[in-house]
């Protein structure tokens, strides 16, 4: 039962390492989440439990894996951006994709009950992932802008759609017909005139999605210590600095965000 | 906030579809499972709970995804073989890999308590995956033989190693030293002479790993029906045929297995 | 001027080796050969000089490079089939493509005058190439059949088209209009009734294209030798066996060709 | 003989388009040019005829193909840099590689006699090519610096080596032994003290290689015209601006070159 005569099959594996000096984005999407959200009675158009669980999973991914500079999520998708300079697993695309989605998927089930309480998880959900490379910082910013613009467009639509269904009693098909061909201004107008809703006052998390970045946190802790020359313990305050994954719900399309957090795109230890 | 000016970033996605008319294998491995198994007190050298949970997850993968003809697992790894003819997701490699590992990972947490009972799951585990293509049936059989030969070699080693540690009281380093340079025959001899163990009587699941195949099952059910001309319900037996994922613990290196289950490699609706 | 600080740029090269155990086909096409053929006054619909030059170049490619089992050419294209088992240049796709097209292109200019005599070559022509993998013998045979069927369809069309232009005096647009929507039978009928041409009697090279295969050739040579015990030289006949690239103009869609030359697909020293 | 039943073989072609917004470099090398240069009696260490022919071929490639911003050549190699923004042939790697090497190879034979006069070309030479992507301008400049540093190192070595062989009568093996372990300073010293050669006075083309760039040329031509109100033709001078491929033999490692020709890296019509 020698392994050696079969070892040749390893030669069929291909090298899938990513081009150096490019941002590596892994985007994950829920599989059949339309059905999943109905079966688990997600609140429409936005379910806070589901959004917070997604973000918890994304935080776990950022903490467990290496070299993720920023993540952005909305609805049932999350994008993870690995640093240009990352050498994690020799930049092998399959490693990046499978570690992200498997860690996310196991976390989703693991943390489910912390967010959904009595709502039982009926079956283990699936996620798919893809990988895309972006050579320049501008390309990367445009990618993230594309996802945030998508969030805005979908959320505005869904907000009006579900108002029409939930409050005006339209059927989904009627609501769809009503909205066909409307522009953003029209949708804002319907929300305001018919439901007295100013879209701009809707929660930022719904309108902007969630950005996850690393931040240095100063923690002040009280510690009991005994100095050598003293006989009694004494309480002192100790400040400890840690990095933590922090969620933000802000605009990332304009320049302000990137000027405020220049370290995200900084290539301190990059090739160049 | 028009999406269109950012849409160009989609052009950076590459087509990763797999060469047609090849077997597509996705192999999944536990991430840091050495540490994971210690923290969750896996029995050494084989933990039935862990092996059965792996198989439960693999069955879920086969049932939830499409076109998987056969799977093979051992230790903390599982290989899934998609049919040559599969057109699932246009044969895109990223879809195959991420669907397999995410479904497996979420199932691992979901079904954990069914197998580990009181042993709490401490954190969500990760898995990695890779994809390999095999053009011919012989290549595929050799791939599976390679994994089963690997199972045999590792299990024989581990069986002796843990006997030396658990029963003879050697430290891991001493056990390792004792086994350095030994051949299969030597290890069998140690097991027999020192521990009265005939390796060939060890459970098949440990020695051969687990093969998952589809089988037609005839289920006989009792059903109550009322015929039009009668007034009372009547019990009848109904036979229903379903396909089911069945675990086997048998040799797949020799020809016998493939002769017994020719449908696994059959290309009924393939290109050719 | 140390090279070392720049050497990192080598890491940007990617591994493009072809999947093992597949046929590797490189197909080459003339670049802008419509214009090229007009400027060099190619005879329409077929120019023997041009076709023979193409074949001479393809023979050179087969002799200079390694592991080409068979080649097929028609019009301004040629396909080269490398053996499944080839390990030439570690099966790197770029090596296969560039060696084929550069050897072909330099040969085209080098041998031009042998075929075109007084017709001067006006400028150096370009060629493009692509690479495709075929896992099974049937896939490969179907690829070659595809090219030969293409040859037939184009040649039948061109034969009628140029008869209508050259003999009936139609303009190209008129000839095109006349042929729009016609089937093979219609075209055969036009050739026969209007030009007294039986298409099946047209030269095989035009209708079937050119197949290049390796054949063992027995060469009988006269050699002068002097045996040790004799004083005079003596003429003897010596038979030497060499392999040579031989052009055929035959059907390769049916089984007969493959039965006659089984060694082309034979995998004598293949993986399996 | 329907083509359709074979058309499925087209699905086996893969999309090999290059990542957008990256510089695309195709580097070409002579195949077996050691042998080729001996058989065609190239002057050692540098043959002006051969170097000029290489440059003529590279100019032809730049003029015939599209979007090449700069090329750099030395010895029997040439690198061609396609613009980041190029959309030529949908950025398909195979198209870039095969067009470059085939155009180069056919030009090599076509222009041979213009440079080698009575020295007959004995057989058609081969070239290989590879493709590499560089995401940033700095990466690209480092690539070109790598090649020019390589030119310097090789040319210094070859200059001393051939002096030792040609003037001091050493055998190649003796010359090699003499140079083993020597640094650049040692080689300069040998050249100066033994052969009275100041390496820095050696021709720039040998020491720096050849850079090809596009330049606007103002051509002043004399033209005969007849103005409407006049009866006689009159000679006038007309200035016409054309772009031309111009060879330079200068340093491209330092900043000066890039500051002098900023348009080479300019992304006027790029994505961003």
């Amino acid at each position: 039962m020698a392994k050696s005569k079969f070892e040749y099959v390893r030669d069929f594996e291909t090298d899938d390492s990513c081009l150096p000096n490019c941002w590596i984005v892994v985007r994950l999407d829920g599989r059949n989440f339309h059905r999943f959200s109905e079966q688990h009675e997600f609140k429409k158009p936005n379910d806070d439990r589901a959004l917070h669980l997604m973000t918890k999973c994304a935080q776990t991914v950022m903490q467990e894996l290496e070299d993720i500079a920023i993540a952005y999520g909305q609805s049932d998708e999350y994008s993870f951006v690995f640093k240009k300079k990352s050498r994690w697993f020799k930049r092998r695309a399959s490693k990046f994709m499978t570690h992200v989605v498997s860690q996310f998927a196991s976390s989703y089930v693991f943390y489910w009950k912390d967010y959904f309480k009595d709502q039982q998880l009926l079956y283990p959900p699936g996620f798919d992932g893809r990988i895309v490379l972006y050579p320049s910082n501008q390309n990367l910013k445009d990618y993230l802008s594309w996802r945030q613009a998508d969030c805005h467009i979908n959320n505005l639509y869904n907000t009006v759609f579900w108002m029409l269904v939930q409050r005006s009693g339209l059927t989904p098909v009627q609501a769809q017909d009503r909205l066909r061909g409307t522009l953003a201004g029209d949708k804002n107008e319907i929300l305001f005139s018919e439901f007295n809703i100013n879209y701009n006052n809707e929660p930022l998390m719904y309108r902007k999605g969630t950005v996850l970045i690393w931040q240095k946190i100063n923690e002040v802790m009280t510690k009991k210590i005994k100095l050598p020359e003293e006989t009694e313990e004494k309480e002192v305050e100790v400040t400890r600095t840690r990095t933590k994954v922090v969620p933000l719900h802000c605009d990332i399309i304009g320049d302000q965000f990137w000027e405020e957090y220049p370290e995200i795109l900084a290539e301190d230890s990059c090739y160049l």
Side-chain angles (χ1 to χ4, degrees), chain A residues 133-149:
Chain A
L133 302 185
Y134 290 108
S136 75
N137 291 358
Q138 190 59 51
N139 293 149
L140 176 66
K141 288 196 271 185
D142 288 346
Y143 170 80
L144 293 168
S145 297
W146 175 51
R147 298 324 302 148
Q148 191 168 59

Side-chain angles (χ1 to χ4, degrees), chain A residues 2-267:
Chain A
K3 200 164 61 166
S4 56
K5 67 177 276 205
F6 305 125
E7 290 258 20
Y8 81 89
V9 298
R10 301 183 72 173
D11 296 339
F12 289 66
E13 292 191 27
T14 53
D15 175 14
D16 64 342
S17 51
C18 297
L19 187 67
N21 203 25
C22 290
W23 296 101
I24 298 173
V25 174
V26 174
R27 182 166 80 251
L28 158 153
D29 282 275
R31 186 185 181 212
N32 292 334
F33 256 50
H34 189 75
R35 188 178 69 118
F36 184 85
S37 67
E38 283 179 357
Q39 289 171 315
H40 293 87
E41 297 172 20
F42 281 19
K43 214 186 130 203
K44 294 295 179 180
N46 289 288
D47 188 301
D48 283 357
R49 302 166 303 174
L51 293 174
H52 286 131
L53 174 55
M54 289 291 289
T55 288
K56 174 67 182 174
C57 296
Q59 283 174 306
T60 308
V61 166
M62 283 180 77
Q63 277 151 357
E64 289 298 317
L65 310 194
E66 282 176 34
D67 294 340
I68 299 177
I70 184 173
Y72 174 77
Q74 54 132 328
S75 183
D76 66 340
E77 74 167 54
Y78 243 101
S79 297
F80 299 88
V81 181
F82 291 82
K83 293 181 181 175
K84 271 187 178 183
K85 66 174 178 184
S86 178
R87 295 234 135 244
W88 195 52
F89 283 111
K90 295 182 185 168
R91 298 175 73 83
R92 283 162 60 191
S94 54
K95 294 284 183 183
F96 282 76
M97 281 188 281
T98 57
H99 275 123
V100 164
V101 301
S102 73
Q103 191 65 56
F104 197 98
S106 68
S107 301
Y108 200 90
V109 181
F110 190 82
Y111 294 114
W112 171 272
K113 65 183 175 309
D114 295 350
Y115 297 88
F116 279 89
K117 313 291 178 194
D118 297 339
Q119 175 82 53
Q120 285 290 311
L121 178 61
L122 303 175
Y123 55 87
F127 297 87
D128 81 0
R130 76 192 68 202
I131 198 162
V132 200
L133 302 185
Y134 290 108
S136 75
N137 291 358
Q138 190 59 51
N139 293 149
L140 176 66
K141 288 196 271 185
D142 288 346
Y143 170 80
L144 293 168
S145 297
W146 175 51
R147 298 324 302 148
Q148 191 168 59
D150 185 79
C151 172
H152 166 75
I153 290 164
N154 290 335
N155 189 60
L156 177 56
Y157 183 94
N158 290 336
T159 304
V160 193
F161 176 88
W162 286 103
M163 280 296 123
L164 292 171
V165 169
Q166 291 165 354
R167 295 234 201 127
S168 303
L170 270 60
T171 64
V173 170
Q174 289 171 325
Q176 225 174 310
D177 287 348
R178 174 79 193 279
L179 293 173
R180 187 162 295 127
T182 56
L183 304 178
D186 304 325
K187 296 192 190 76
N188 276 308
E189 183 56 28
I190 296 174
L191 281 176
F192 192 71
S193 60
E194 300 186 24
F195 306 106
N196 201 28
I197 289 173
N198 183 338
Y199 182 71
N200 290 326
N201 294 337
E202 287 292 288
L204 274 168
M205 182 169 71
Y206 303 168
R207 291 188 291 122
K208 298 296 180 190
T210 302
V211 187
L212 293 178
I213 60 172
W214 290 98
Q215 282 199 304
K216 284 209 166 61
I217 304 287
N218 289 324
E219 288 180 330
V220 180
M221 298 186 310
T222 309
K223 228 178 168 176
K224 283 187 178 167
I225 58 165
K226 202 179 74 175
L227 294 175
E229 62 273 26
E230 296 182 22
T231 50
E232 304 244 321
E233 278 194 331
K234 215 172 131 176
E235 283 206 339
V236 294
E237 286 197 338
V238 186
T239 306
R240 203 177 59 156
T241 305
R242 314 189 291 130
T243 52
K244 228 181 116 173
V245 177
V246 174
L248 306 173
H249 310 293
C250 61
D251 176 80
I252 54 173
I253 295 179
D255 291 334
Q256 198 190 325
F257 173 79
W258 302 102
E259 284 160 7
E260 198 167 340
Y261 303 103
E263 66 278 9
I264 296 171
L265 299 179
E267 310 182 31

